[in-house]
Amino acid sequence: MLSFNADTVERRTLFVEVILPLAISKAYTYRVPFELNQQIEIGKRVVVQFGKSKIYTAVIYQISEQPPQGYDAKYLIDVLDEKPIVTANQLRLWEWMANYYLCTLGEVMQAALPSALKLASETKIVKNTDTTFDKSELNDKEFLILDALDIQPELSVGDISKILGQKTVFPVLRGLLAQGIILVSEEIVEKYQARKKTYIKLSAFYDDPENRKQLFEILERAPKQLDLVLSYIQLRKNQAEISKADLLETSGSSAAAVKALIEKEVLIAYEKEVSRLQSHEEDLNADLNLNEVQEDALSLINEQHQYNDVSLLYGVTASGKTAIYIRLIEQYLAQQKQVLYLLPEIGLTTQIIQRLKQYFGNQIGVYHSKFSDQERAEIWQKVLSGEYRIILGARSSVFLPFQDLGLIVVDEEHENSYKQFDPAPRYHARDTAIALAAQHQCKVVLGSATPSLESFYNAKIGKYGLVTLTERYGGVQLPDIQVVSIAEETKRRTMQSHFTSVLLEEMKAALSRKEQIILFQNRRGYAPVLVCHTCGFSPKCMHCDVSLTYHKSSGQLHCHYCGYRQELVAACPACGSAKIEQKGFGTEKVEDELSLIFPEARIARMDLDSTRSKNGFQQLLNDFEDSRIDILVGTQMVAKGLDFEKVSTIGIINADAMLNYPDFRAFERSFQLMAQVAGRAGRRNKRGKVIIQAYDTHHRVLQQVIEHDYQGLFETELMERCNYHYPPLYRLINLDIKHKDQGKLYQIADYLAKVLRQQFGDRVLGPEAPLVSRIRNYYIQTLLLKVEKKGVSVQKVKTNLQEILKKFEAESLAKGSIIQIDVDPY
């Protein structure tokens, strides 16, 4: 950054290059009004006009005295910040992401900053109905905005600019946002909810043993209430606090009895925020002690961090990895460093969040998209000021303005949820976290029971350190896994609906022992495909090249790509036949048929549809943990971050669907999913049972899952990847070419493929139609570039690719087409 003397700076003509939250290929230059010269600084936000009339918030990227070449620089409108809100390290990370993932700085900025920090003229503003304020304390401009919002509930920043009669409305809006009086409407989303539990205690009067006799006399004619009080007194001998659920279960009483005693002021109910974990050997409190294996692992990580910045902690499910993370975090907090703890999906890992919050308290900030925009902006400021020492977050938390980052933990590093697919930047949070660590010169721990092949390969070749935990914490055995043949049972006619006799027997036994069951079916909806028995017609989405999925809960056919819906067809629109058959099955159908087989069991479903409602996911977890659900049916959601004491049986309904998916990672992902789902069983003092149903029972991946043989999977997969030029030995760059005209798309894709082959030769594959060749009325063709890591500069390949695409976009043939680049398309 340029340095200026305060006496001379005021009259010097300065120019700033700014990053706009738009997909433009370079920074844009503006002239600084003399009166703002002393306020500008790299990383501060400024208000600028771009285009004919659009107003945007931009970030200062460079300061100079050189005017732009080829166009006249417009003036900055205003400087928004007293201090920079984007650090130098962040800007370097943005540059790395733009170069690595072949996107623009503006696209990175758009993903990085919370909406409240990047208001534009199109941004919609609404009044916050949950906040009370005194209108008399507002200034004239603030009053005008609130008055207008009373008449029209939603206004754009452009509308507000017209109401106030001025371009610079951002300082006014910033003040209203800071007070919580207004909200950014597109960011009003449900907030993360901590879990609360109801506890019961005796009133102070009756808690005195001398007054108990009086209580027993009062309840003499209410035997159920008396039994409940006696159960409470019995439980109090061993527990300091008694939850309502425990009291009802022990006493066998009803909630009505508890309510009656509360109304009589005998019992008092109170709520308390609690961890989602049951109390057991690994509870996290001030006296947390690692066992010998964990201590050795911790020492080895610290030793490796002396010469390796990244370590992979490979530990089987329930081996106590979280406790090791906690000890590592403590070490870095003692050095006054900040810590980033990455989780694949916040909503699916509430147990870990509650566990760490219970342990570290107010030093932790949680950052993810389920918070309102104002909360995320507040966390941004607290990280910038150093108030938050630990951040728990999903992938977007890599963008936060860390001041002194010492450690990054990437938990479940193999998870596909770390990959951003749309829009750009299409980054992977694990890889970005390693680049972030390099900016801060800090250490990284990657943790998983089923590591990605890339990470395990890097550990094997010495690029990363490797620490292994082969036993579960407390000596609990790994689950017993059994594969059952669907084909054999179908032949013997022992199948009942989609369930083998072996799985049903295990479920009956578990229910009789009052244990819980999880069933995994990686497909939501009721029936994935409807087919006319007479002519073979199948209803398809009018915007996408996919069959519509029937959802019984809505009674409609859904497209899972664009959201299109239509009513269920009673007769075939092609031939008029009423014989419409349902093919395949999703979680809804599994849930429906289980209710017929086990009418007494309490069954629930966990998938994207059942967890859409406010706090839907948390409520399901609460009910399952409190034993209000006997059987939980779910998609891959059930494989992530769940830890329940009473789960003894796991059923995988159809393993073949995962194994036969047309993707080079299908075997790796299948192993990871099955191993992670299996890891939910028997996580305390009893060995769990896992039943995997499949047609191909001798598939090598199933044998590797049974034997918990990750090493075997790694070796066989690595050989395949080497032979067919896939990661981790090769780098992939995927190009999706889209156009609304299918004929023109073929011309464009063929032409582009020829140009790329002239430069890269047989490293270019395609064009080919992807699995879904039309989405939202855009036809798609895919080109795949495979680049060997040894002997080739991947960065040079990317530079050449960008130059080719830049030239192509200027040609008339490219008109109407969209090209999406995905580097490392995981």
Side-chain angles (χ1 to χ4, degrees):
M1 180 184 148
L2 290 177
S3 176
F4 300 101
N5 185 297
D7 297 328
T8 60
V9 74
E10 287 185 14
R11 301 306 301 173
R12 297 179 77 172
T13 302
L14 300 180
F15 295 89
V16 290
E17 285 183 47
V18 303
I19 304 171
L20 287 151
L22 303 168
I24 54 177
S25 59
K26 54 193 290 188
Y28 205 73
T29 304
Y30 287 86
R31 186 172 174 175
V32 182
F34 291 133
E35 64 271 18
L36 297 180
N37 275 2
Q38 290 183 310
Q39 295 181 40
I40 61 167
E41 195 174 342
I42 290 173
K44 283 187 176 182
R45 291 173 303 150
V46 290
V47 181
V48 296
Q49 182 181 336
F50 187 76
K52 288 184 178 178
S53 59
K54 296 281 179 72
I55 304 293
Y56 291 98
T57 306
V59 171
I60 299 176
Y61 181 54
Q62 297 289 344
I63 303 172
S64 74
E65 295 183 58
Q66 297 298 318
Q69 298 296 314
Y71 63 92
D72 293 330
K74 297 175 185 175
Y75 279 99
L76 285 185
I77 297 172
D78 199 5
V79 178
L80 289 178
D81 303 307
E82 292 180 9
K83 294 180 180 178
I85 64 152
V86 179
T87 66
N89 275 331
Q90 282 179 292
L91 287 173
R92 283 197 293 273
L93 182 70
W94 291 10
E95 288 168 354
W96 176 86
M97 291 183 76
N99 289 329
Y100 187 88
Y101 291 108
L102 301 181
C103 60
T104 66
L105 278 169
E107 287 171 318
V108 179
M109 176 192 168
Q110 180 72 0
L113 290 183
S115 291
L117 300 180
K118 52 180 172 62
L119 298 177
S121 50
E122 300 90 349
T123 304
K124 300 295 183 183
I125 300 295
V126 296
K127 192 174 176 181
N128 185 359
T129 54
D130 295 331
T131 300
T132 54
F133 58 92
D134 187 353
K135 271 195 174 184
S136 64
E137 294 181 5
L138 300 177
N139 62 39
D140 291 346
K141 291 176 181 178
E142 290 171 337
F143 188 87
L144 271 173
I145 293 170
L146 267 294
D147 213 27
L149 284 171
D150 285 337
I151 299 165
Q152 189 174 324
E154 187 176 82
L155 295 170
S156 71
V157 174
D159 295 334
I160 292 168
S161 183
K162 289 175 186 174
I163 291 165
L164 298 184
Q166 62 184 56
K167 280 185 180 177
T168 315
V169 298
F170 290 85
V172 185
L173 293 176
R174 193 175 64 213
L176 290 170
L177 279 166
Q179 296 173 68
I181 295 172
I182 60 172
L183 297 170
V184 181
S185 68
E186 57 260 51
E187 289 297 328
I188 300 172
V189 291
E190 66 180 73
K191 297 179 183 179
Y192 170 79
Q193 295 290 319
R195 189 197 173 187
K196 291 186 177 179
K197 204 167 187 176
T198 303
Y199 286 84
I200 300 294
K201 64 180 180 181
L202 267 176
S203 65
F205 180 79
Y206 293 119
D207 205 23
D208 185 342
E210 292 184 12
N211 298 327
R212 294 261 175 88
K213 189 177 178 182
Q214 185 182 339
L215 173 60
F216 295 151
E217 288 173 0
I218 293 169
L219 298 178
E220 195 173 355
R221 293 185 181 178
K224 289 184 179 178
Q225 293 176 26
L226 181 59
D227 287 346
L228 196 142
V229 170
L230 291 170
S231 296
Y232 172 87
I233 294 166
Q234 192 66 31
L235 282 170
R236 266 292 297 275
K237 291 177 182 177
N238 301 312
Q239 294 175 229
E241 289 186 296
I242 296 154
S243 71
K244 182 180 177 181
D246 285 347
L247 181 58
L248 290 174
E249 187 178 346
T250 305
S251 65
S253 303
S254 65
V258 175
K259 187 181 178 185
L261 286 168
I262 291 169
E263 287 172 352
K264 290 177 180 177
E265 298 184 352
V266 172
L267 296 179
I268 296 170
Y270 63 99
E271 279 193 337
K272 187 178 174 183
E273 190 173 312
V274 295
S275 165
R276 294 188 176 280
L277 289 180
Q278 302 281 348
S279 295
H280 64 100
E281 297 90 339
E282 205 189 343
D283 265 354
L284 303 178
N285 49 53
D287 301 319
L288 169 69
N289 292 311
L290 303 185
N291 62 25
E292 189 177 343
V293 175
Q294 290 171 315
E295 285 287 2
D296 290 343
L298 179 62
S299 299
L300 190 53
I301 291 170
N302 284 324
E303 184 184 321
Q304 289 176 350
H305 276 169
Q306 293 176 22
Y307 51 87
N308 258 333
D309 288 336
V310 183
S311 286
L312 173 64
L313 178 57
Y314 163 41
V316 297
T317 52
S319 57
K321 295 187 289 294
T322 307
I324 295 171
Y325 299 150
I326 282 169
R327 284 293 182 240
L328 277 168
I329 290 169
E330 284 179 335
Q331 291 174 14
Y332 285 92
L333 289 181
Q335 298 170 32
Q336 300 302 308
K337 299 282 189 180
Q338 289 176 308
V339 176
L340 171 61
Y341 192 127
L342 280 172
L343 298 163
E345 293 180 42
I346 289 290
L348 302 177
T349 45
T350 49
Q351 291 178 315
I352 293 174
I353 291 169
Q354 288 304 318
R355 182 189 282 192
L356 294 180
K357 271 202 160 186
Q358 182 184 22
Y359 196 77
F360 291 109
N362 294 329
Q363 296 181 84
I364 291 183
V366 180
Y367 188 82
H368 59 86
S369 59
K370 283 185 181 282
F371 283 148
S372 74
D373 192 62
Q374 281 64 45
E375 287 172 305
R376 281 191 284 159
E378 184 181 339
I379 291 168
W380 184 284
Q381 297 291 356
K382 286 185 176 180
V383 174
L384 187 63
S385 67
E387 185 176 336
Y388 278 149
R389 307 305 301 163
I390 308 168
I391 286 293
L392 288 171
R395 59 176 181 253
S396 59
S397 55
V398 296
F399 292 117
L400 286 167
F402 296 100
Q403 293 296 299
D404 197 6
L405 195 58
L407 175 70
I408 300 176
V409 175
V410 185
D411 199 12
E412 306 295 352
E413 65 85 27
H414 67 278
E415 270 289 348
N416 202 33
S417 306
Y418 283 124
K419 171 71 176 178
Q420 162 89 4
F421 290 100
D422 269 315
R426 294 174 180 85
Y427 68 100
H428 197 290
R430 177 196 63 218
D431 302 339
T432 306
I434 293 169
L436 174 66
Q439 304 282 0
H440 287 266
Q441 298 182 323
C442 78
K443 306 301 178 184
V444 180
V445 176
L446 310 176
S448 178
T450 54
S452 63
L453 255 70
E454 284 80 2
S455 294
F456 202 68
Y457 175 76
N458 285 333
K460 284 291 187 181
I461 64 172
K463 187 177 179 181
Y464 299 167
L466 177 62
V467 181
T468 306
L469 296 170
T470 56
E471 295 179 2
R472 284 183 155 192
Y473 186 90
V476 177
Q477 287 183 295
L478 286 164
D480 174 27
I481 300 176
Q482 182 180 353
V483 178
V484 184
S485 172
I486 298 173
E488 193 63 36
E489 290 228 1
T490 304
K491 194 185 295 181
R492 294 204 311 262
R493 298 187 178 180
T494 52
M495 288 285 291
Q496 189 170 346
S497 181
H498 303 293
F499 312 103
T500 59
S501 60
V502 177
L503 177 58
L504 289 175
E505 286 302 316
E506 286 294 337
M507 291 172 70
K508 285 174 188 172
L511 290 171
S512 68
R513 297 190 298 264
K514 297 195 180 303
E515 292 169 347
Q516 290 173 302
I517 300 156
I518 292 176
L519 295 182
F520 172 69
Q521 167 62 9
N522 204 21
R523 192 129 198 195
R524 61 191 174 101
Y526 192 84
V529 183
L530 294 185
V531 179
C532 172
H533 180 74
T534 307
C535 73
F537 169 83
S538 179
K540 289 195 171 185
C541 175
M542 64 188 297
H543 308 296
C544 309
D545 187 22
V546 289
S547 297
L548 294 171
T549 301
Y550 172 51
H551 285 243
K552 192 175 181 182
S553 56
S554 66
Q556 292 181 314
L557 301 173
H558 294 221
C559 174
H560 291 168
Y561 284 85
C562 70
Y564 170 76
R565 294 187 183 193
Q566 72 175 49
E567 295 303 316
L568 180 65
V569 290
C572 174
C575 70
S577 171
K579 294 181 179 178
I580 306 292
E581 296 180 342
Q582 296 171 0
K583 299 289 184 183
F585 60 97
T587 47
E588 263 192 78
K589 195 171 186 183
V590 173
E591 179 190 27
D592 201 35
E593 292 181 350
L594 277 175
S595 62
L596 299 175
I597 299 169
F598 300 108
E600 302 300 317
R602 296 163 295 178
I603 303 163
R605 174 168 47 90
M606 182 184 286
D607 56 26
L608 191 63
D609 302 305
S610 65
T611 55
R612 285 185 197 277
S613 63
K614 186 174 176 66
N615 305 324
F617 185 82
Q618 283 82 359
Q619 189 58 53
L620 264 175
L621 284 185
N622 294 350
D623 290 346
F624 196 58
E625 190 174 22
D626 292 337
S627 299
R628 292 195 286 271
I629 296 170
D630 300 313
I631 305 172
L632 183 63
V633 181
T635 55
Q636 59 184 328
M637 281 186 174
V638 299
K640 302 175 185 180
L642 302 182
D643 185 3
F644 297 110
E645 186 175 11
K646 293 182 180 179
V647 174
S648 66
T649 305
I650 302 284
I652 296 173
I653 307 295
N654 187 353
D656 303 274
M658 293 182 284
L659 291 166
N660 296 326
Y661 191 76
D663 187 320
F664 77 94
R665 294 184 189 277
F667 290 174
E668 178 189 358
R669 294 235 171 97
S670 298
F671 181 93
Q672 288 167 342
L673 261 175
M674 286 188 272
Q676 291 286 342
V677 172
R680 305 309 114 202
R683 292 171 66 87
R684 294 293 186 270
N685 302 313
K686 185 179 177 183
R687 193 179 191 194
K689 180 79 174 180
V690 179
I691 306 296
I692 299 175
Q693 297 185 161
Y695 285 95
D696 185 2
T697 56
H698 300 293
H699 197 291
R700 71 165 169 85
V701 173
L702 293 180
Q703 300 308 311
Q704 287 161 345
V705 171
I706 292 169
E707 294 161 14
H708 308 284
D709 183 15
Y710 175 80
Q711 183 70 39
L713 174 91
F714 172 75
E715 289 169 2
T716 51
E717 283 298 292
L718 190 64
M719 192 180 298
E720 291 283 308
R721 305 279 180 91
C722 180
N723 291 337
Y724 295 103
H725 299 178
Y726 281 107
L729 302 165
Y730 284 72
R731 193 174 301 289
L732 303 183
I733 301 175
N734 193 83
L735 299 179
D736 277 346
I737 306 131
K738 301 182 177 183
H739 203 289
K740 289 190 175 181
D741 185 316
Q742 194 172 21
K744 284 185 180 177
L745 174 65
Y746 291 149
Q747 283 183 332
I748 292 167
D750 286 337
Y751 172 78
L752 194 54
K754 285 174 187 174
V755 175
L756 290 173
R757 282 197 182 94
Q758 289 171 7
Q759 178 75 43
F760 303 116
D762 60 5
R763 294 186 184 93
V764 180
L765 300 181
E768 292 288 341
L771 246 127
V772 180
S773 60
R774 182 171 63 103
I775 297 176
R776 295 185 174 90
N777 290 324
Y778 275 93
Y779 293 93
I780 308 167
Q781 287 280 293
T782 296
L783 291 168
L784 186 64
L785 190 58
K786 292 182 177 180
V787 185
E788 58 271 34
K789 287 188 177 179
K790 284 188 178 178
V792 175
S793 167
V794 176
Q795 189 53 53
K796 191 175 179 182
V797 169
K798 290 178 180 178
T799 303
N800 290 341
L801 176 61
Q802 280 184 308
E803 287 174 3
I804 290 168
L805 293 177
K806 196 172 182 181
K807 286 178 183 175
F808 170 73
E809 285 171 4
E811 296 184 24
S812 58
L813 181 64
K815 190 176 180 183
S817 66
I818 297 170
I819 298 177
Q820 290 184 348
I821 308 173
D822 193 355
V823 178
D824 302 337
Y826 290 90

